[in-house]
Amino acid sequence: MKDSLKPGVTHVAKIKIDKDRTISFMGDDLRVYATPRMVLDVEHTCRQLLLPHHDGGEDSLGVRVEIDHLGPTLLGQTVTVAAEVAEVEGSRVIFDVNVHDELDHVGKARHIRFVVDTEKQGGRLAKKKAQLAEA
């Protein structure tokens, strides 16, 4: 991880709320931004923030999301997902994230990611796959 990753570093994503990002269980007239999709958008935005700060062979994994979905966002609206690095402790990075649509503050989150060596991670996964095959 590069020294450029410090508290206060930010990244903003603008995301159009399409049908796949909405709930369907209350019918088409009541489609709004789904909480699981907000979680995914928070994770992706934080990962995008980290990418320029990685050394070769690094990526990151999300390990925790605390989220408050504060209000509805309608199908067709655009959300702004604003992530800020709150803390960096070794390979652990903590983010504070706010989500706004054109009218309201609709979400806030705290997200934790770990920066990992992709080769080592691949080895851990191969080991688990082998264990599964033996079980």
Side-chain angles (χ1 to χ4, degrees), residues 5 14 17 20 27-28 30 53 77 90 105 107 110 126 130 134:
L5 184 66
K14 291 198 177 282
I17 304 304
D20 289 340
D28 282 342
L30 298 176
H53 304 281
Q77 283 193 275
H105 184 201
R110 181 152 266 223
E134 293 173 4

Coordinates of all heavy atoms in Angstrom, one line a residue, residues 5 14 17 20 27-28 30 53 77 90 105 107 110 126 130 134:
L5 N -2.2 6.8 0.8 CA -3.5 6.5 1.5 C -3.4 6.9 2.9 O -2.7 6.4 3.7 CB -3.7 5.0 1.4 CG -5.1 4.6 2.0 CD1 -6.2 5.1 1.1 CD2 -5.2 3.1 2.1
K14 N -21.1 8.5 -8.8 CA -22.5 8.9 -9.1 C -23.1 7.7 -9.8 O -22.6 7.1 -10.8 CB -22.6 10.1 -10.0 CG -22.1 11.4 -9.3 CD -22.6 12.6 -10.0 CE -22.3 13.8 -9.2 NZ -23.1 14.1 -8.1
I17 N -30.0 5.0 -10.4 CA -30.8 3.9 -9.8 C -31.7 3.3 -10.9 O -32.7 3.8 -11.3 CB -31.6 4.4 -8.6 CG1 -30.7 5.0 -7.6 CG2 -32.4 3.2 -8.0 CD1 -29.6 4.2 -7.1
D20 N -32.6 -2.9 -11.7 CA -31.8 -3.9 -10.9 C -31.4 -3.4 -9.5 O -31.0 -4.2 -8.7 CB -30.6 -4.3 -11.7 CG -31.0 -5.2 -12.9 OD1 -32.1 -5.7 -13.0 OD2 -30.1 -5.3 -13.8
G27 N -44.2 -4.3 -5.8 CA -44.7 -4.0 -7.1 C -44.0 -2.8 -7.7 O -43.2 -2.1 -7.1
D28 N -44.2 -2.7 -9.0 CA -43.5 -1.7 -9.8 C -43.7 -0.2 -9.4 O -42.8 0.6 -9.5 CB -43.9 -1.8 -11.3 CG -43.1 -3.0 -12.0 OD1 -42.1 -3.5 -11.4 OD2 -43.6 -3.4 -13.0
L30 N -43.9 0.9 -6.5 CA -43.3 1.2 -5.2 C -41.8 0.8 -5.2 O -41.2 0.6 -4.2 CB -44.0 0.6 -4.0 CG -45.4 1.0 -3.8 CD1 -46.1 0.2 -2.7 CD2 -45.5 2.5 -3.6
H53 N -4.0 3.6 -4.7 CA -3.1 3.6 -3.6 C -2.5 2.2 -3.4 O -1.7 2.0 -2.4 CB -3.8 4.1 -2.4 CG -4.4 5.4 -2.5 ND1 -3.7 6.6 -2.5 CD2 -5.7 5.8 -2.8 CE1 -4.5 7.6 -2.7 NE2 -5.7 7.1 -2.9
Q77 N -33.6 8.0 -10.3 CA -32.8 9.0 -9.6 C -31.4 8.6 -9.7 O -31.0 7.5 -10.0 CB -33.3 9.2 -8.1 CG -34.5 10.0 -8.0 CD -34.7 10.4 -6.5 OE1 -35.2 9.7 -5.7 NE2 -34.3 11.7 -6.2
G90 N -2.3 -0.4 9.5 CA -1.7 -1.5 8.8 C -2.5 -1.7 7.5 O -2.7 -0.8 6.7
H105 N -30.4 13.2 2.0 CA -29.3 12.3 2.5 C -30.0 11.0 2.8 O -30.9 10.9 3.6 CB -28.8 12.9 3.8 CG -27.7 12.1 4.4 ND1 -27.3 12.3 5.7 CD2 -26.7 11.3 3.8 CE1 -26.3 11.5 6.0 NE2 -25.9 10.9 4.9
G107 N -28.4 7.7 2.9 CA -27.7 6.6 3.6 C -26.4 7.1 4.2 O -25.8 8.1 3.7
R110 N -20.4 3.0 7.7 CA -19.0 2.8 8.0 C -18.6 1.4 7.5 O -19.3 0.4 7.6 CB -18.8 2.8 9.6 CG -17.3 2.6 9.9 CD -17.0 3.3 11.3 NE -16.5 4.6 11.0 CZ -15.5 5.1 11.7 NH1 -14.9 4.4 12.6 NH2 -15.1 6.3 11.5
A126 N -7.0 -21.6 -2.7 CA -6.7 -22.9 -3.2 C -6.6 -24.0 -2.1 O -7.1 -25.1 -2.3 CB -5.4 -22.9 -4.0
A130 N -9.0 -27.3 -1.8 CA -8.5 -28.6 -1.6 C -9.1 -29.3 -0.4 O -9.4 -30.5 -0.4 CB -7.0 -28.6 -1.5
E134 N -11.6 -32.8 -0.1 CA -11.3 -33.9 0.7 C -12.4 -34.2 1.7 O -12.5 -35.3 2.3 CB -10.0 -33.7 1.5 CG -8.7 -33.6 0.6 CD -7.5 -33.2 1.4 OE1 -7.6 -33.0 2.7 OE2 -6.5 -33.0 0.8

